[in-house]
Amino acid sequence: MSTPLPEPSWRAWHDEEPIRLGISSCLLGAKVRFDGGHKQDRYLSDVLGEWFRWVPVCPELEIGLGVPRPSIHLVQGEPHPRLVEPRSGEDLTERMESYSRARVEELGDRDLDGYILKRASPSCGMERVKVFGAGGMPAKDGVGVFARILMARWPLLPVEEEGRLNDPQLRERFIEHVFCRHRWRTLVRRGLTRRSLIAFHTAHKLLLRAHNETGYARLGRLVAAAGRVPDAELFRSYEEEFNRVLQSRATRKRHANVLYHALGYLREALDPFEKQEAIALIEDYRNELLPLVVPITLLRHHVAKHGVPYLQGQLYLEPHPRELMLRNRV
Ligand code: SF4
């Protein structure tokens, strides 16, 4: 049985505002593909759909290409590949680019916390999209036109493809980032102050350290400078650095260091057997014998039992819903 952790867990930072994610419509089962089909991903629609409010977008439909429609693809071009319908030779690049610029602006107003794109699409693919040249095999190094404009306009937005989300590490990192971004935006909506920034930073300390110690230290220096730089500049710099840190990979080694650091706060509370047990689990996790959820669950148990205030406030122990079981496979 899981141990209930006293607030604040991730829930304490959320209010009634939903977590909104943009998504390629076909991934939710909408029959909008060129052949009249869809590419429904059950994990997205049925599992993540319990937690997120989707904002579906089909760029090809929205520029007026019907269903069914001739297939389109990317063709080599400068500065970016062109979007072409090979059968007629029609070049759709300008049409798609001007639509995408307007649409991603509008999506900014919808307060998105992330975006999930359809892989390999000349419109939606975020990487490794086929680009056809004069002859031979197409190079798999393109980015869909809509995806390129979306990522350039909102560089701090967590973006992933449905295929990459089958990787447990990428999935955990993406969803953790989505929840972190949502907490940040909730803080901003409630009225960001120096005081609330410090509370936000304090609650994310262990989580940030698991990603990048150097970035965590930079954030600490920014928070320490509060009051010496204009608030608007402080908040903007913090948001940028916060997102940068979350984009770096949280390795087993870094997690193990954070777990040991957390264990230090329980030094006085644990007896020698409990300490040895915790150390053994952290080492088993570091050596890839156990998933992260195991040492975290033990820590949560000790934190709940002994009530260490600093650790009780650390979102690292529960950054997203346990029901998603994201740490069971990393
Ligand atoms: S990949 Fe994008 S453009 Fe293609 S059908 Fe899906 S949502 Fe529409």
Side-chain angles (χ1 to χ4, degrees):
M1 199 175 87
S2 58
T3 310
L5 189 72
E7 300 287 14
S9 68
W10 68 270
R11 285 179 203 279
W13 289 83
H14 292 235
D15 52 24
E16 68 293 339
E17 188 69 12
I19 300 177
R20 274 190 212 87
L21 262 69
I23 188 165
S24 300
S25 306
C26 55
L27 292 174
L28 292 180
K31 294 181 175 174
V32 292
R33 279 172 53 87
F34 72 98
D35 58 1
H38 62 76
K39 281 285 178 185
Q40 182 171 14
D41 184 309
R42 289 275 173 199
Y43 178 73
L44 302 181
S45 59
D46 299 355
V47 179
L48 295 189
E50 291 280 314
W51 301 92
F52 300 151
R53 174 94 47 92
W54 301 116
V55 179
V57 178
C58 176
E60 290 176 21
L61 203 63
E62 292 185 14
I63 63 167
L65 303 179
V67 179
R69 57 184 174 271
S71 68
I72 55 181
H73 66 208
L74 296 177
V75 172
Q76 276 175 3
E78 289 300 333
H80 303 291
R82 315 289 301 172
L83 186 65
V84 173
E85 195 218 296
R87 212 170 59 183
S88 65
E90 188 182 358
D91 189 325
L92 299 161
T93 315
E94 265 78 45
R95 199 161 140 200
M96 182 61 90
E97 284 184 344
S98 77
Y99 151 81
S100 299
R101 279 193 286 271
R103 192 69 163 107
V104 302
E105 249 358 278
E106 185 200 307
L107 287 169
D109 294 338
R110 301 284 292 273
D111 289 336
L112 297 185
D113 292 308
Y115 210 109
I116 300 178
L117 292 160
K118 172 74 189 74
R119 65 178 284 277
S121 157
S123 306
C124 293
M126 68 176 269
E127 61 171 29
R128 296 173 50 77
V129 179
K130 282 182 188 167
V131 180
F132 291 80
M137 295 289 285
K140 273 191 169 178
D141 59 1
V143 179
V145 177
F146 175 79
R148 165 168 59 78
I149 290 170
L150 173 80
M151 293 188 291
R153 179 65 185 90
W154 306 114
L156 303 183
L157 185 71
V159 177
E160 262 304 348
E161 289 185 338
E162 94 288 1
R164 283 167 50 95
L165 289 178
N166 290 324
D167 178 321
Q169 311 268 359
L170 295 177
R171 177 186 292 184
E172 201 270 342
R173 187 166 89 197
F174 173 70
I175 295 175
E176 182 192 82
H177 195 170
V178 165
F179 273 81
C180 284
R181 178 178 163 97
H182 185 74
R183 284 192 283 275
W184 172 261
R185 292 197 318 95
T186 301
L187 190 74
V188 171
R189 205 176 53 250
R190 288 173 176 173
L192 183 55
T193 62
R194 280 180 230 157
R195 196 188 171 96
S196 66
L197 176 71
I198 292 167
F200 180 89
H201 178 67
T202 302
H204 286 85
K205 276 185 175 182
L206 294 187
L207 187 149
L208 292 164
R209 292 182 79 159
H211 282 270
N212 184 327
E213 276 285 346
T214 315
Y216 161 73
R218 272 197 298 271
L219 284 168
R221 285 195 292 276
L222 278 174
V223 171
R228 297 202 299 275
V229 293
D231 283 354
E233 188 185 322
L234 168 71
F235 300 153
R236 192 179 53 250
S237 305
Y238 187 92
E239 183 183 8
E240 283 174 12
E241 187 62 34
F242 180 70
N243 281 279
R244 254 197 298 275
V245 171
L246 291 172
Q247 279 161 0
S248 45
R249 197 160 74 88
T251 60
R252 276 185 187 256
K253 188 169 169 228
R254 288 186 192 130
H255 272 300
N257 290 345
V258 168
L259 290 166
Y260 275 119
H261 181 75
L263 194 57
Y265 285 87
L266 290 156
R267 206 173 30 238
E268 305 297 323
L270 302 189
D271 66 31
F273 173 81
E274 289 170 325
K275 269 185 225 162
Q276 273 314 309
E277 183 188 36
I279 290 168
L281 289 189
I282 296 171
E283 285 307 310
D284 278 355
Y285 162 72
R286 191 209 294 274
N287 292 319
E288 301 186 31
L289 298 173
L290 290 174
L292 181 58
V293 69
V294 178
I296 290 276
T297 302
L298 183 67
L299 264 180
R300 287 170 51 83
H301 163 77
H302 288 312
V303 169
K305 184 174 167 189
H306 299 289
V308 182
Y310 175 73
L311 292 181
Q312 281 174 337
Q314 288 302 308
L315 283 153
Y316 178 69
L317 297 181
E318 195 184 30
H320 36 56
R322 265 174 287 160
E323 292 87 334
L324 287 172
M325 298 190 291
L326 295 167
R327 287 168 155 186
N328 294 34
R329 291 184 60 202
V330 298

